[in-house]
Amino acid sequence: MSVPVRPRLRFAPAPTGLPHLGTARTALFNWLHARHCGGEMVLRIEDTNAELATTAHINQILEMLDWLGLDFDGEPVFQSERGALYDAAVARWLDAGQAYLDEGAVRFSVPDDGVTAFDDIVRGRVEFPNASIEDFVVRRSDGSATFFVANAVDDLDLDITHVVRGEDLLNTTPKVLLLRAALGATDVPTFAHLPLIVNKQRKKLSKRRDDVSLTSYRDRGVLPAAMVNYLALLGWGPPDGTEVRPLAEIVELFDLVDVNAAPAMFDMDKLTAINGQYLRSLDDAGFAAAIQPWVRAEPWGTHLDAATLSDVASLIRERTRLLSDAPDRIAFLFAEPEIDPDDWAAAMAPPAGDILDRARAAFSSADWNAATLHATLRGIGEEYGLKLGKAQAPVRVAITGRAVGPPLFESLALLGRNVTLARLAAAQARLVR
């Protein structure tokens, strides 16, 4: 009875720029399959391009994995430290007549006939006629090995059983397989080439045109758990149709055979909606802690104590979709609001002046709690034949500067009587100017 081979995958980023959405999705799918199958994921840094690969970029990859919560097995493998293995492979091909010198570089001699084929979990059977593959460079004139060599040698040396990567690398696969066979390998890894990620115009995501940097989404306030959940949906979907769920459940359900070959559309609206669900699942203290870095960056939030921030956070948690939105939504509680001119014009049509006057008079002696303030303003509105939504519009704009915001009466309770009355008076004065 044969012993099943333990799956061993590799996440192999090139540290030549900021980690992007496609890089993160590839890391996640490798990690999900490894954890689902009880296997391992190796981190292999493809840093053979000395001009572009930098320590800063390597650190950014490590930070990305840490932020997403994706661990790897063993120590990172750096291709820049494995040159001797690549040189030995090239020498072997030269000795066997499978490679030749060409103006200082070494090219692999591709057979003229036959096909190089492999089975892909996502794309099915894939075949490349050898006649369509040029004799390709395996060692540059500067002595460095090319991408194809490093991949073939390392996948063999590291016992990689599954190669899960983007569709854009599909055309490199036959060259790697030719080199692998020339090294004496009789088997091939299991391949899964993931679908392209496209924008709403169905064009491939481009760093020149689209916001693809993972750091950008982190800085805008996407929670790592929400980002992982959303990235998992870019090409894969749970069989029961429930898209927002804990990572442990995603690991349990994930299967590469369920990955769709069709392009996966990146939808910022969907990402922020999912992020909003994760934010709503936090308690007041957890949500307050999450928005704290953004609040602390504001002049009025520098010294805000934790208890006050927790009270305020409860007002906006239900409607917040990005953490970076939070300061703007609560700023009116700690600084003079900036009046939106369009909201002012819409809210201050008659009888707004009378409502402000009546509200100011009633609020000056009312019990200062949300329920009483709510009942008071509702009663004023009824006297003018207005529902509460219409009656509170001028008060909201006077207090917050905008027509939409956190629950008004809970906000007034936190803001306090004196500040509330002062802002109502300022609004009245602005009306008569």
Side-chain angles (χ1 to χ4, degrees):
M1 181 177 178
S2 62
V3 178
V5 176
R6 188 182 188 192
R8 187 168 166 85
L9 295 90
R10 81 312 197 265
F11 169 52
T16 56
L18 287 172
H20 54 76
L21 294 168
T23 304
R25 196 269 305 265
T26 297
L28 175 62
F29 278 38
N30 275 278
W31 185 89
L32 286 173
H33 186 71
R35 298 301 176 251
H36 174 77
C37 298
E40 297 179 335
M41 184 180 85
V42 176
L43 173 61
R44 189 173 78 205
I45 305 294
E46 297 189 342
D47 59 342
T48 55
N49 190 328
E51 292 183 2
L52 297 178
T54 68
T55 300
H57 289 146
I58 293 172
N59 289 337
Q60 287 161 356
I61 291 170
L62 296 174
E63 290 171 5
M64 175 197 73
L65 293 173
D66 183 63
W67 183 67
L68 294 174
L70 306 180
D71 58 340
F72 50 89
D73 298 287
E75 294 298 316
V77 175
F78 294 91
Q79 287 188 334
S80 60
E81 299 173 357
R82 299 169 64 81
L85 291 175
Y86 311 146
D87 290 342
V90 174
R92 177 174 174 174
W93 297 324
L94 285 169
D95 290 343
Q98 295 171 299
Y100 59 91
L101 291 169
D102 179 22
E103 297 183 357
V106 177
R107 289 184 178 273
F108 185 79
S109 182
V110 179
D112 293 329
D113 55 3
V115 298
T116 299
F118 59 94
D119 292 313
D120 190 285
I121 293 178
V122 179
R123 309 192 174 275
R125 187 69 173 174
V126 182
E127 296 185 350
F128 290 85
N130 289 336
S132 68
I133 306 173
E134 80 285 358
D135 288 358
F136 54 93
V137 174
V138 290
R139 186 167 67 198
R140 304 178 185 91
S141 57
D142 64 4
S144 62
T146 61
F147 167 87
F148 312 112
V149 177
N151 267 256
V153 170
D154 286 344
D155 284 349
L156 271 172
D157 184 64
L158 298 172
D159 298 319
I160 299 302
T161 64
H162 292 69
V163 175
V164 180
R165 58 188 184 182
E167 177 188 337
D168 54 321
L169 292 172
L170 183 68
N171 289 337
T172 70
T173 305
K175 295 179 181 180
V176 173
L177 289 180
L178 286 167
L179 297 182
R180 184 184 178 97
L183 291 172
T186 58
D187 63 339
V188 298
T190 299
F191 287 97
H193 283 89
L194 307 177
L196 292 175
I197 303 177
V198 297
N199 60 21
K200 285 188 175 182
Q201 289 72 44
R202 297 292 175 178
K203 296 180 179 179
K204 180 183 176 182
L205 284 186
S206 166
K207 62 183 179 182
R208 297 183 183 89
R209 178 184 58 240
D210 305 299
D211 188 0
V212 300
S213 169
L214 199 69
T215 303
S216 171
Y217 295 97
R218 181 193 66 188
D219 293 347
R220 288 155 71 178
V222 174
L223 295 175
M227 178 58 80
V228 166
N229 195 151
Y230 181 66
L231 288 174
L233 304 175
L234 293 180
W236 174 84
D240 61 3
T242 301
E243 294 188 327
V244 180
R245 63 198 320 151
L247 180 57
E249 293 184 13
I250 296 176
V251 170
E252 183 179 352
L253 294 170
F254 185 82
D255 196 324
L256 284 172
V257 300
D258 295 326
V259 174
N260 195 321
M265 188 182 76
F266 179 79
D267 184 348
M268 184 61 185
D269 291 337
K270 185 170 182 177
L271 171 59
T272 56
I274 289 174
N275 197 56
Q277 290 191 53
Y278 275 86
L279 292 177
R280 288 191 294 276
S281 72
L282 301 175
D283 60 18
D284 288 349
F287 181 71
I291 67 173
Q292 180 174 308
W294 283 268
V295 171
R296 293 278 189 253
E298 300 292 332
W300 49 262
T302 306
H303 303 295
L304 199 62
D305 63 88
T308 301
L309 182 56
S310 182
D311 289 341
V312 171
S314 66
L315 298 178
I316 63 170
R317 186 182 65 238
E318 290 298 313
R319 295 185 179 180
T320 300
R321 291 162 60 124
L322 291 171
L323 294 173
S324 58
D325 293 338
D328 194 47
R329 296 187 176 194
I330 61 175
F332 74 92
L333 292 166
F334 307 101
E336 284 296 318
E338 181 177 342
I339 304 294
D340 182 283
D342 292 333
D343 288 351
W344 174 272
M348 294 303 174
D354 292 340
I355 290 174
L356 291 176
D357 186 59
R358 294 286 302 279
R360 183 184 173 199
F363 287 176
S364 65
S365 59
D367 290 340
W368 203 256
N369 59 72
T372 300
L373 297 173
H374 179 281
T376 300
L377 188 55
R378 183 177 61 191
I380 293 172
E382 289 173 349
E383 294 182 24
Y384 290 90
L386 300 175
K387 294 183 178 180
L388 181 60
K390 289 287 187 180
Q392 73 176 3
V395 175
R396 178 182 288 281
V397 173
I399 299 299
T400 71
R402 299 179 184 178
V404 177
L408 176 61
F409 303 105
E410 287 79 0
S411 298
L412 296 181
L414 287 174
L415 192 62
R417 191 192 307 272
N418 291 340
V419 175
T420 298
L421 296 179
R423 290 187 185 176
L424 291 174
Q428 288 178 284
R430 178 172 176 162
L431 267 179
V432 300
R433 287 205 299 267

